[in-house]
Amino acid sequence: KTPAQHGALALTYHAKAEEARAMAKRHDGMGGMYGQKNSAAAGHCQNIAKKYTGIAEDYDALAKSEEAAAQAK
């Protein structure tokens, strides 16, 4: 891949990370709406939020790798 291609991939991964963070925030908020009334649903939402946070971290790592590859060429 060319440096430009690596750079484009990095931008895509950064955007995907932001999308995942937004979904984590959304599910975290939904979990808060349930509160103690429905702890199963709240736990479900919190679990999904944690998964999206992990996905965002994975995309951040991919973006960093592509940025490094773009600089190396």
Side-chain angles (χ1 to χ4, degrees), residues 36-60:
Q36 297 298 327
K37 294 178 183 176
N38 190 341
S39 61
H44 166 79
C45 292
Q46 290 169 353
N47 187 39
I48 298 294
K50 287 179 187 177
K51 288 180 181 183
Y52 274 115
T53 298
I55 290 168
E57 291 169 356
D58 289 346
Y59 275 125
D60 286 335

mmCIF file of all heavy atoms in Angstrom, residues 36-60:
data_model
loop_
_atom_site.group_PDB
_atom_site.id
_atom_site.type_symbol
_atom_site.label_atom_id
_atom_site.label_comp_id
_atom_site.label_asym_id
_atom_site.label_seq_id
_atom_site.Cartn_x
_atom_site.Cartn_y
_atom_site.Cartn_z
ATOM 1 N N GLN A 36 -32.492 0.805 38.702
ATOM 2 C CA GLN A 36 -32.697 -0.396 39.515
ATOM 3 C C GLN A 36 -34.005 -1.110 39.182
ATOM 4 O O GLN A 36 -34.221 -2.235 39.593
ATOM 5 C CB GLN A 36 -32.666 -0.021 41.002
ATOM 6 C CG GLN A 36 -31.340 0.536 41.457
ATOM 7 C CD GLN A 36 -30.202 -0.463 41.310
ATOM 8 O OE1 GLN A 36 -30.406 -1.664 41.466
ATOM 9 N NE2 GLN A 36 -29.023 0.017 40.974
ATOM 10 N N LYS A 37 -34.885 -0.440 38.448
ATOM 11 C CA LYS A 37 -36.185 -1.044 38.138
ATOM 12 C C LYS A 37 -36.041 -2.304 37.305
ATOM 13 O O LYS A 37 -36.806 -3.246 37.447
ATOM 14 C CB LYS A 37 -37.079 -0.042 37.401
ATOM 15 C CG LYS A 37 -37.481 1.139 38.251
ATOM 16 C CD LYS A 37 -38.320 2.113 37.454
ATOM 17 C CE LYS A 37 -38.643 3.327 38.290
ATOM 18 N NZ LYS A 37 -39.370 4.333 37.542
ATOM 19 N N ASN A 38 -35.099 -2.316 36.405
ATOM 20 C CA ASN A 38 -34.901 -3.463 35.533
ATOM 21 C C ASN A 38 -33.398 -3.708 35.424
ATOM 22 O O ASN A 38 -32.776 -3.329 34.447
ATOM 23 C CB ASN A 38 -35.522 -3.204 34.165
ATOM 24 C CG ASN A 38 -35.551 -4.450 33.305
ATOM 25 O OD1 ASN A 38 -34.824 -5.400 33.562
ATOM 26 N ND2 ASN A 38 -36.372 -4.443 32.285
ATOM 27 N N SER A 39 -32.849 -4.326 36.445
ATOM 28 C CA SER A 39 -31.402 -4.485 36.489
ATOM 29 C C SER A 39 -30.879 -5.376 35.367
ATOM 30 O O SER A 39 -29.742 -5.223 34.930
ATOM 31 C CB SER A 39 -30.955 -5.013 37.842
ATOM 32 O OG SER A 39 -31.528 -6.278 38.090
ATOM 33 N N ALA A 40 -31.692 -6.328 34.884
ATOM 34 C CA ALA A 40 -31.253 -7.180 33.771
ATOM 35 C C ALA A 40 -31.047 -6.340 32.515
ATOM 36 O O ALA A 40 -30.042 -6.485 31.808
ATOM 37 C CB ALA A 40 -32.261 -8.293 33.515
ATOM 38 N N ALA A 41 -31.994 -5.463 32.226
ATOM 39 C CA ALA A 41 -31.872 -4.599 31.040
ATOM 40 C C ALA A 41 -30.724 -3.610 31.209
ATOM 41 O O ALA A 41 -29.966 -3.359 30.260
ATOM 42 C CB ALA A 41 -33.177 -3.854 30.783
ATOM 43 N N ALA A 42 -30.581 -3.057 32.399
ATOM 44 C CA ALA A 42 -29.485 -2.119 32.651
ATOM 45 C C ALA A 42 -28.141 -2.820 32.476
ATOM 46 O O ALA A 42 -27.224 -2.272 31.857
ATOM 47 C CB ALA A 42 -29.605 -1.532 34.054
ATOM 48 N N GLY A 43 -28.039 -4.037 33.009
ATOM 49 C CA GLY A 43 -26.801 -4.802 32.858
ATOM 50 C C GLY A 43 -26.508 -5.117 31.404
ATOM 51 O O GLY A 43 -25.344 -5.072 30.974
ATOM 52 N N HIS A 44 -27.550 -5.430 30.656
ATOM 53 C CA HIS A 44 -27.390 -5.698 29.224
ATOM 54 C C HIS A 44 -26.813 -4.466 28.528
ATOM 55 O O HIS A 44 -25.845 -4.577 27.755
ATOM 56 C CB HIS A 44 -28.745 -6.077 28.616
ATOM 57 C CG HIS A 44 -28.769 -6.052 27.136
ATOM 58 N ND1 HIS A 44 -28.244 -7.070 26.365
ATOM 59 C CD2 HIS A 44 -29.239 -5.121 26.273
ATOM 60 C CE1 HIS A 44 -28.400 -6.745 25.086
ATOM 61 N NE2 HIS A 44 -29.002 -5.578 25.009
ATOM 62 N N CYS A 45 -27.389 -3.316 28.791
ATOM 63 C CA CYS A 45 -26.930 -2.075 28.148
ATOM 64 C C CYS A 45 -25.490 -1.757 28.543
ATOM 65 O O CYS A 45 -24.686 -1.339 27.699
ATOM 66 C CB CYS A 45 -27.849 -0.917 28.510
ATOM 67 S SG CYS A 45 -29.494 -1.054 27.794
ATOM 68 N N GLN A 46 -25.155 -1.951 29.802
ATOM 69 C CA GLN A 46 -23.789 -1.689 30.252
ATOM 70 C C GLN A 46 -22.807 -2.645 29.584
ATOM 71 O O GLN A 46 -21.695 -2.246 29.209
ATOM 72 C CB GLN A 46 -23.713 -1.798 31.771
ATOM 73 C CG GLN A 46 -24.432 -0.660 32.474
ATOM 74 C CD GLN A 46 -24.592 -0.899 33.968
ATOM 75 O OE1 GLN A 46 -24.287 -1.978 34.475
ATOM 76 N NE2 GLN A 46 -25.080 0.115 34.670
ATOM 77 N N ASN A 47 -23.210 -3.894 29.419
ATOM 78 C CA ASN A 47 -22.361 -4.868 28.752
ATOM 79 C C ASN A 47 -22.110 -4.471 27.297
ATOM 80 O O ASN A 47 -20.971 -4.541 26.803
ATOM 81 C CB ASN A 47 -23.002 -6.255 28.826
ATOM 82 C CG ASN A 47 -22.095 -7.340 28.308
ATOM 83 O OD1 ASN A 47 -20.886 -7.317 28.531
ATOM 84 N ND2 ASN A 47 -22.671 -8.305 27.627
ATOM 85 N N ILE A 48 -23.166 -4.047 26.622
ATOM 86 C CA ILE A 48 -23.019 -3.603 25.228
ATOM 87 C C ILE A 48 -22.108 -2.379 25.157
ATOM 88 O O ILE A 48 -21.253 -2.273 24.265
ATOM 89 C CB ILE A 48 -24.407 -3.287 24.613
ATOM 90 C CG1 ILE A 48 -25.285 -4.539 24.574
ATOM 91 C CG2 ILE A 48 -24.275 -2.664 23.226
ATOM 92 C CD1 ILE A 48 -24.815 -5.632 23.663
ATOM 93 N N ALA A 49 -22.267 -1.447 26.094
ATOM 94 C CA ALA A 49 -21.427 -0.246 26.119
ATOM 95 C C ALA A 49 -19.956 -0.625 26.269
ATOM 96 O O ALA A 49 -19.088 -0.066 25.581
ATOM 97 C CB ALA A 49 -21.859 0.681 27.246
ATOM 98 N N LYS A 50 -19.659 -1.579 27.133
ATOM 99 C CA LYS A 50 -18.274 -2.023 27.316
ATOM 100 C C LYS A 50 -17.726 -2.649 26.038
ATOM 101 O O LYS A 50 -16.566 -2.439 25.680
ATOM 102 C CB LYS A 50 -18.186 -3.021 28.463
ATOM 103 C CG LYS A 50 -18.338 -2.389 29.824
ATOM 104 C CD LYS A 50 -18.269 -3.435 30.920
ATOM 105 C CE LYS A 50 -18.600 -2.808 32.267
ATOM 106 N NZ LYS A 50 -18.615 -3.816 33.341
ATOM 107 N N LYS A 51 -18.554 -3.411 25.356
ATOM 108 C CA LYS A 51 -18.106 -4.031 24.105
ATOM 109 C C LYS A 51 -17.794 -2.971 23.053
ATOM 110 O O LYS A 51 -16.780 -3.061 22.355
ATOM 111 C CB LYS A 51 -19.159 -5.008 23.593
ATOM 112 C CG LYS A 51 -19.230 -6.265 24.436
ATOM 113 C CD LYS A 51 -20.265 -7.237 23.926
ATOM 114 C CE LYS A 51 -20.285 -8.467 24.843
ATOM 115 N NZ LYS A 51 -21.202 -9.486 24.379
ATOM 116 N N TYR A 52 -18.661 -1.956 22.942
ATOM 117 C CA TYR A 52 -18.399 -0.888 21.974
ATOM 118 C C TYR A 52 -17.146 -0.096 22.344
ATOM 119 O O TYR A 52 -16.402 0.341 21.469
ATOM 120 C CB TYR A 52 -19.602 0.046 21.840
ATOM 121 C CG TYR A 52 -20.617 -0.432 20.835
ATOM 122 C CD1 TYR A 52 -21.896 -0.798 21.225
ATOM 123 C CD2 TYR A 52 -20.311 -0.504 19.482
ATOM 124 C CE1 TYR A 52 -22.837 -1.231 20.307
ATOM 125 C CE2 TYR A 52 -21.239 -0.944 18.553
ATOM 126 C CZ TYR A 52 -22.499 -1.308 18.968
ATOM 127 O OH TYR A 52 -23.416 -1.741 18.049
ATOM 128 N N THR A 53 -16.899 0.072 23.631
ATOM 129 C CA THR A 53 -15.678 0.756 24.065
ATOM 130 C C THR A 53 -14.456 -0.052 23.629
ATOM 131 O O THR A 53 -13.471 0.517 23.130
ATOM 132 C CB THR A 53 -15.687 0.962 25.585
ATOM 133 O OG1 THR A 53 -16.800 1.799 25.924
ATOM 134 C CG2 THR A 53 -14.403 1.600 26.078
ATOM 135 N N GLY A 54 -14.524 -1.357 23.777
ATOM 136 C CA GLY A 54 -13.431 -2.219 23.320
ATOM 137 C C GLY A 54 -13.239 -2.162 21.817
ATOM 138 O O GLY A 54 -12.103 -2.137 21.327
ATOM 139 N N ILE A 55 -14.334 -2.112 21.093
ATOM 140 C CA ILE A 55 -14.258 -1.994 19.633
ATOM 141 C C ILE A 55 -13.589 -0.681 19.249
ATOM 142 O O ILE A 55 -12.740 -0.640 18.351
ATOM 143 C CB ILE A 55 -15.664 -2.120 19.010
ATOM 144 C CG1 ILE A 55 -16.169 -3.562 19.153
ATOM 145 C CG2 ILE A 55 -15.671 -1.677 17.547
ATOM 146 C CD1 ILE A 55 -17.635 -3.741 18.841
ATOM 147 N N ALA A 56 -13.950 0.396 19.935
ATOM 148 C CA ALA A 56 -13.334 1.698 19.664
ATOM 149 C C ALA A 56 -11.832 1.638 19.907
ATOM 150 O O ALA A 56 -11.044 2.165 19.108
ATOM 151 C CB ALA A 56 -13.968 2.779 20.528
ATOM 152 N N GLU A 57 -11.429 0.996 20.982
ATOM 153 C CA GLU A 57 -10.000 0.864 21.279
ATOM 154 C C GLU A 57 -9.285 0.053 20.200
ATOM 155 O O GLU A 57 -8.157 0.382 19.817
ATOM 156 C CB GLU A 57 -9.814 0.232 22.657
ATOM 157 C CG GLU A 57 -10.239 1.151 23.783
ATOM 158 C CD GLU A 57 -10.318 0.463 25.137
ATOM 159 O OE1 GLU A 57 -10.119 -0.778 25.216
ATOM 160 O OE2 GLU A 57 -10.597 1.165 26.120
ATOM 161 N N ASP A 58 -9.942 -0.976 19.698
ATOM 162 C CA ASP A 58 -9.359 -1.765 18.610
ATOM 163 C C ASP A 58 -9.182 -0.916 17.351
ATOM 164 O O ASP A 58 -8.138 -0.981 16.689
ATOM 165 C CB ASP A 58 -10.229 -2.979 18.288
ATOM 166 C CG ASP A 58 -10.181 -4.045 19.372
ATOM 167 O OD1 ASP A 58 -9.290 -3.999 20.242
ATOM 168 O OD2 ASP A 58 -11.060 -4.930 19.349
ATOM 169 N N TYR A 59 -10.198 -0.131 17.015
ATOM 170 C CA TYR A 59 -10.089 0.737 15.844
ATOM 171 C C TYR A 59 -8.997 1.793 16.033
ATOM 172 O O TYR A 59 -8.277 2.125 15.089
ATOM 173 C CB TYR A 59 -11.421 1.415 15.525
ATOM 174 C CG TYR A 59 -12.343 0.571 14.679
ATOM 175 C CD1 TYR A 59 -13.635 0.288 15.103
ATOM 176 C CD2 TYR A 59 -11.946 0.065 13.446
ATOM 177 C CE1 TYR A 59 -14.494 -0.488 14.330
ATOM 178 C CE2 TYR A 59 -12.790 -0.700 12.671
ATOM 179 C CZ TYR A 59 -14.061 -0.976 13.118
ATOM 180 O OH TYR A 59 -14.907 -1.737 12.345
ATOM 181 N N ASP A 60 -8.866 2.316 17.260
ATOM 182 C CA ASP A 60 -7.789 3.273 17.533
ATOM 183 C C ASP A 60 -6.418 2.644 17.281
ATOM 184 O O ASP A 60 -5.530 3.275 16.698
ATOM 185 C CB ASP A 60 -7.863 3.775 18.977
ATOM 186 C CG ASP A 60 -8.993 4.758 19.215
ATOM 187 O OD1 ASP A 60 -9.440 5.428 18.255
ATOM 188 O OD2 ASP A 60 -9.436 4.856 20.380
#
